[in-house]
Amino acid sequence: MYETIINKFVEAEVLLDDTAYQKIKKQEDALKFTESLIHGLGLPREDIMILTGEMVEQYLEDNKSGIGEDNSNDESSFPHENSPPSESSIQTAPISSVESISEPDSFSTDNILEPDPFGATKTSTASQATETETIPATESDNITTTTDDYSSIPQSKLSEGHGVEIIKDSSRKSYTNGEIKDFTAYFGSRYHKLRDMLQRKKDLKSPQSIQELENIQDVVNVIGMVNDVRNTKNNHKLIEVEDETGTASVLVHNENHSLFEDAERVVKDEVVGVVGTRKGSLIMASQIINPGVPRVDEKEMDFSMVFLSDTHIGSSTFQGDAFNRFIKWINGEFGDEEQQEIASNVRYLIVAGDIVDGIGVYPHQDKELTIKDIYKQYEEAARLFGEIDDVQIIITPGNHDAGRLAEPQPAIPEEYAGDLYKLKNVKFASNPSVVGLDGINVLIYHGRSFDDFAMTVKGMSHQNTDIIMKELLEKRHLAPIYGERTPLASEVEDHMVIEEVPDVLHTGHVHINSYKKYKGIHLVNSGTFQSQTEFQKIYNIVPTVAQVPVLNQGTMKILKFN
């Protein structure tokens, strides 16, 4: 009953506090009352984000004579809040370079970044922007430099009616109280979503339950959530999986090299399919199957989108001069002819978290701040982003931003970032979220789970987030490992499952650029506008600063503003 009632409100895009839930539960037919309440209040409504006990009480009072009357026009009890930017001086140093990807699937190559991301990044100090290198984006797409007359560029790109669709946003779908029933619902949601994907695989169309395996000593196939992964004393891999009927131990022999490599990437709490043979109490695995992603057809783009994250405004290491050059470029006031042409094509700027440096994020952070007030950090962010003309900006939170730390993170609260909310060309969404930009679906995730993968999975590191992003897509989950460095909220629904395959996966967090095209999907990590911090010095992490990825009409380019 709990999950059914809560799911009704999830569908109505309204949060439900505990007092309201208790009042609903006391009704003679709680489910029928829920439907009547949702209909009567005309949900979803922009002015009702949280349904409180007082609202339920008022609804009961107003409908004593017959619950179910339509009160959808009564908005007097639910006030709606609305919530502004300035000027900035721009330094005139040039964009140091603009470069295309030098191979179809990656920009971690010598002419873009050093082969070792921990090595120093080479930048040009020429007084003019360097020549643009033209390289095929794919085997069939050739990009040529043009010399168009810029007087033909439309004065306002926003006025052309380009579409932003927030496809998935969990900002108003948080119901957890941290109770046992919430954990049960959360992992149940994850299991069922991913099991349904796995059952589309030809080898898993009719999986057995683990309970059924007791009577089978032959070929078996099961779908389960991983409870534990460990090595045996002979260095075989032992994986314990669980479904709703029981647990089973899966043995992967180390002489099966390909399968053992697959097993090395298995992590706790992901959902996998296993095909193997029953031997006593063990399943001897022959296949480990991820939900996976199909190859997607690349969509044509006649526009460009820019990817930012980790600007860390308010930090003493925020690179303000470089960011001002970036603003001037995106406004078409900076760079050589080709760079300005790229700017003229930009419709969207996507910022994947850590807009500001925050307050109290780590010990002694105040010593590294130039702005020590969270409200003023966002005021400065609004001033800077407010200088960007005619580009639609989408902002999602990261672990340094104000608001809830546990993922999924709701959009940055307006109470902290009021001035940003006043900007007419800015939209806010949760972390993670999916936005449709003129038909190109972008999955935005800040990337906190990269920490867990870099520390847990052999061969993965912060320097190679494209490998981690590929793994997240194959697992169809953005943060499968529960209870480690990534704080996860045990919601009724697991919003971290990748339900639809995106055209672009955009991440941040690690401050190091990476790019890969995987099965037609653009995997982008957008680096940072913060120079090396004291923490990064300890671990010899050298960030790629002020190097901005631009998906320019389907071809990835890197513009360097440092």
Side-chain angles (χ1 to χ4, degrees), residues 313-315 356-360 365-366 368-381 400 402 415-417:
I313 295 165
S315 168
V356 301
D357 204 48
I359 304 292
Q365 183 188 13
D366 58 309
E368 298 182 7
L369 293 174
T370 55
I371 304 175
K372 301 177 188 283
D373 181 303
I374 188 67
Y375 298 97
K376 291 181 179 176
Q377 287 182 9
Y378 281 112
E379 286 173 9
E380 176 64 6
H400 279 251
E415 64 183 285
Y416 293 105

Side-chain angles (χ1 to χ4, degrees), residues 3 37 52 68 149 162 228 278 327-328 339 404-406 445 451 453 517 521:
E3 288 183 38
L37 179 63
T52 65
D149 178 3
H162 304 309
D228 193 25
R278 180 84 170 171
I327 292 171
K328 197 172 182 185
Q339 292 157 353
R404 186 173 84 177
L405 188 59
Y445 175 53
D451 296 342
F453 275 82
K517 190 186 287 184
I521 305 163

Side-chain angles (χ1 to χ4, degrees), residues 33 35-37 39-40 59 63 66-71:
F33 176 76
E35 293 169 348
S36 172
L37 179 63
H39 175 74
Y59 181 79
N63 290 275
I67 288 179
E69 294 176 15
D70 189 354
N71 294 324

Side-chain angles (χ1 to χ4, degrees), residues 139-194:
E139 291 183 359
S140 60
D141 298 328
N142 290 305
I143 307 303
T144 56
T145 303
T146 63
T147 54
D148 291 345
D149 178 3
Y150 289 103
S151 63
S152 65
I153 295 171
Q155 292 300 302
S156 173
K157 290 172 277 184
L158 287 181
S159 64
E160 297 173 6
H162 304 309
V164 179
E165 180 187 2
I166 306 295
I167 296 172
K168 184 173 181 180
D169 180 4
S170 62
S171 295
R172 299 175 62 180
K173 298 180 180 179
S174 178
Y175 294 91
T176 183
N177 291 316
E179 299 175 13
I180 293 295
K181 64 178 183 294
D182 297 328
F183 284 91
T184 303
Y186 172 74
F187 285 107
S189 167
R190 176 186 299 192
Y191 175 74
H192 287 107
K193 285 182 179 184
L194 294 172

Side-chain angles (χ1 to χ4, degrees), residues 85 112 184 390 409 496:
I112 302 298
T184 303
D390 296 335
Q409 291 177 277
M496 308 301 287

Side-chain angles (χ1 to χ4, degrees), residues 433-468:
S433 57
V434 180
V435 295
L437 306 177
D438 284 333
I440 305 297
N441 291 345
V442 182
L443 171 56
I444 311 168
Y445 175 53
H446 181 61
R448 187 72 186 273
S449 70
F450 293 169
D451 296 342
D452 291 325
F453 275 82
M455 296 177 69
T456 303
V457 181
K458 183 179 178 180
M460 295 190 184
S461 70
H462 290 102
Q463 297 96 308
N464 304 110
T465 51
D466 55 306
I467 297 174
I468 300 177

Side-chain angles (χ1 to χ4, degrees), residues 202-216:
K202 64 175 183 176
D203 293 319
L204 295 169
K205 288 190 181 298
S206 302
Q208 292 122 349
S209 71
I210 288 175
Q211 188 177 54
E212 291 175 323
L213 300 185
E214 294 178 4
N215 303 316
I216 302 173

Side-chain angles (χ1 to χ4, degrees), residues 16-24 50-60:
L16 183 69
D17 73 13
D18 195 56
T19 308
Y21 173 70
Q22 295 302 329
K23 288 183 180 294
I24 292 169
I50 300 176
L51 191 69
T52 65
E54 290 81 2
M55 293 177 184
V56 175
E57 194 64 48
Q58 184 65 50
Y59 181 79
L60 287 165

